[in-house]
Amino acid sequence: VKAFNVYFLRQHFLALPRDLEEAAVVDGAGPFRIYWSVALPAIRPALATVLVLDVLAHWSDFIWPLIVCTRAETRTVQLALANLFTQPPIQWGQILACAVLVTLPVLLVFRLAQRHVVASDLGAGISRFERVYPRKDHIMLSRISRLLLPLLASLLIGQAHAGLDAI
């Protein structure tokens, strides 16, 4: 549990209107039902933001795995990528291809949570109509990223296989 995550989620829970809770109580919902059916869906953008930030932070860890992982079988991909720099001659094509492949899981997590993270960022000061119907340029960027990610992966897969075999 990180202090930032607790504070961030607390602020989103405090920003929820009391009317939602009162309406759920009038409908006969108990505390757990209010939490599960009203509060959690309302803070979904905040949860997606926390998820993306935590995945990014933990995926990029370098020092802790360097201390803990003593065998080659238990190394993380970041340690294996850094190990490519220690083996002469340095193969820049393999290193860069592996670096792109290392970033793909983070891009995938962000892509899956993108609309929730964007909703969290754009939610303040925007009318309900604009939240329900997003702008067309956001939809176009989503389509472009959907086309570019598989293309990028297919272009780099040959170099990445050679780099991963060297690890």
Side-chain angles (χ1 to χ4, degrees):
V1 177
K2 295 181 181 177
F4 172 77
N5 294 348
V6 171
Y7 179 74
F8 189 72
L9 292 176
R10 177 188 177 273
Q11 291 305 106
H12 278 278
F13 274 116
L14 290 177
L16 290 177
R18 285 267 185 220
D19 298 340
L20 287 176
E21 183 180 349
E22 291 171 359
V25 169
V26 169
D27 288 341
F32 181 75
R33 185 69 175 178
I34 293 171
Y35 172 74
W36 190 258
S37 299
V38 176
L40 276 183
I43 66 156
R44 187 177 300 145
L47 290 173
T49 303
V50 166
L51 172 81
V52 169
L53 291 176
D54 275 355
V55 165
L56 181 62
H58 290 295
W59 183 256
S60 301
D61 277 347
F62 183 78
I63 297 296
W64 179 248
L66 184 64
I67 294 169
V68 174
C69 300
T70 57
R71 296 186 319 233
E73 302 87 39
T74 60
R75 285 190 193 145
T76 62
V77 287
Q78 285 75 16
L79 293 178
L81 184 61
N83 193 32
L84 286 176
F85 285 100
T86 63
Q87 300 170 357
I90 296 177
Q91 301 291 327
W92 287 105
Q94 294 175 0
I95 290 172
L96 294 176
C98 289
V100 168
L101 285 178
V102 166
T103 61
L104 287 180
V106 175
L107 288 175
L108 179 68
V109 168
F110 179 75
R111 176 68 180 102
L112 293 175
Q114 178 182 8
R115 66 184 160 134
H116 300 295
V117 173
V118 169
S120 171
D121 187 35
L122 297 177
I126 296 179
S127 71
R128 176 75 178 144
F129 178 78
E130 291 175 358
R131 278 191 220 156
V132 173
Y133 302 103
R135 297 184 344 225
K136 293 194 185 292
D137 58 347
H138 172 68
I139 295 170
M140 182 58 76
L141 288 174
S142 174
R143 288 180 184 157
I144 290 171
S145 67
R146 195 176 322 137
L147 293 173
L148 285 180
L149 282 177
L151 178 65
L152 181 64
S154 64
L155 288 174
L156 294 170
I157 203 72
Q159 284 288 326
H161 278 300
L164 291 175
D165 289 340
I167 296 172

